[in-house]
Amino acid sequence: MARKPKNKDKGIFAEFKKFITRGNVIDLAVGVIIGGAFSAIVTALTGKIIMPIINLIINLVTGGKGINLITILNGEPQFIEVDGAQTANAKCIYIDWGAFIEAIINFLLIAIVLFIIIKVINTLNERKEALEAKRLEAYYQKHPEERPVPPEPGAPVPTELDVLNEIRDLLKEQKQDKSKK
């Protein structure tokens, strides 16, 4: 059995180290960790506060009878109480609609919070850009000679090659001027 050369192993580890220490990978990792923690908060909010309130409202509307949020598919159900709510045990096959509703509420809460966060960030960026434009306009009011001249409509737009040729020509002129002195 032939072993891989050590310098190749070092290359793979060095490449992995370079990949993992890039800023966007670390930002992603931080985002995933914060997202997991936020998800736990939303799950607790939904399971321990919102769902009990919904159950209370359902009990008040139905006169204490409630609504069975479990559909038994197979077997004889034996209901047990978990966290103050009745649920079927594992001796039967059932669909827990309450857990599904809870997951939908979790999703909606997370989506609303993310929408608000993104909305705030976009609003702050728009204000920053407007403030920067205002500062730039104030600068151009004081220094009108530095305001860029917009291209004339229909005028050819210079290409990168044109700009580089112009720079080359200017450098040649400067070199000739220095050699004349």
Side-chain angles (χ1 to χ4, degrees):
M1 236 196 251
R3 294 189 87 193
K4 293 181 181 177
K6 287 202 172 215
N7 59 355
K8 179 154 180 124
D9 289 341
K10 286 182 181 178
I12 290 172
F13 288 120
E15 188 176 339
F16 178 72
K17 180 182 175 188
K18 182 180 176 185
F19 166 77
I20 204 70
T21 56
R22 285 187 4 213
N24 55 356
V25 173
I26 294 170
D27 293 343
L28 177 63
V30 170
V32 168
I33 292 168
I34 290 174
F38 181 70
S39 178
I41 291 170
V42 170
T43 301
L45 172 70
T46 305
K48 303 296 183 187
I49 297 173
I50 294 176
M51 289 306 287
I53 292 172
I54 290 173
N55 290 336
L56 176 67
I57 292 170
I58 289 173
N59 275 336
L60 291 174
V61 170
T62 62
K65 294 180 183 176
I67 296 175
N68 189 1
L69 295 177
I70 296 175
T71 302
I72 306 298
L73 298 175
N74 188 8
E76 189 64 35
Q78 295 177 353
F79 290 98
I80 56 174
E81 193 163 313
V82 177
D83 292 333
Q86 279 197 353
T87 186
N89 67 1
K91 292 183 180 179
C92 68
I93 300 171
Y94 63 93
I95 298 173
D96 188 354
W97 297 104
F100 178 68
I101 293 169
E102 187 174 332
I104 290 172
I105 293 171
N106 284 348
F107 171 77
L108 291 174
L109 287 174
I110 290 172
I112 289 169
V113 169
L114 287 176
F115 172 76
I116 291 170
I117 290 171
I118 291 170
K119 183 74 171 161
V120 166
I121 289 171
N122 287 342
T123 302
L124 291 175
N125 283 340
E126 288 171 3
R127 287 182 183 174
K128 180 181 174 185
E129 289 172 4
L131 183 61
E132 186 63 32
K134 190 176 180 180
R135 286 182 184 163
L136 190 60
E137 185 57 35
Y139 176 80
Y140 287 146
Q141 291 292 330
K142 291 180 182 177
H143 307 283
E145 69 280 358
E146 293 188 25
R147 184 184 297 270
V149 178
E152 295 179 21
V157 178
T159 64
E160 185 176 342
L161 182 61
D162 295 336
V163 172
L164 290 173
N165 286 335
E166 187 177 331
I167 292 171
R168 181 198 61 205
D169 295 341
L170 288 172
L171 289 172
K172 279 184 182 177
E173 287 177 18
Q174 286 178 350
K175 189 175 179 182
Q176 288 174 356
D177 289 344
K178 285 184 181 179
S179 66
K180 289 181 182 178
K181 291 183 182 183

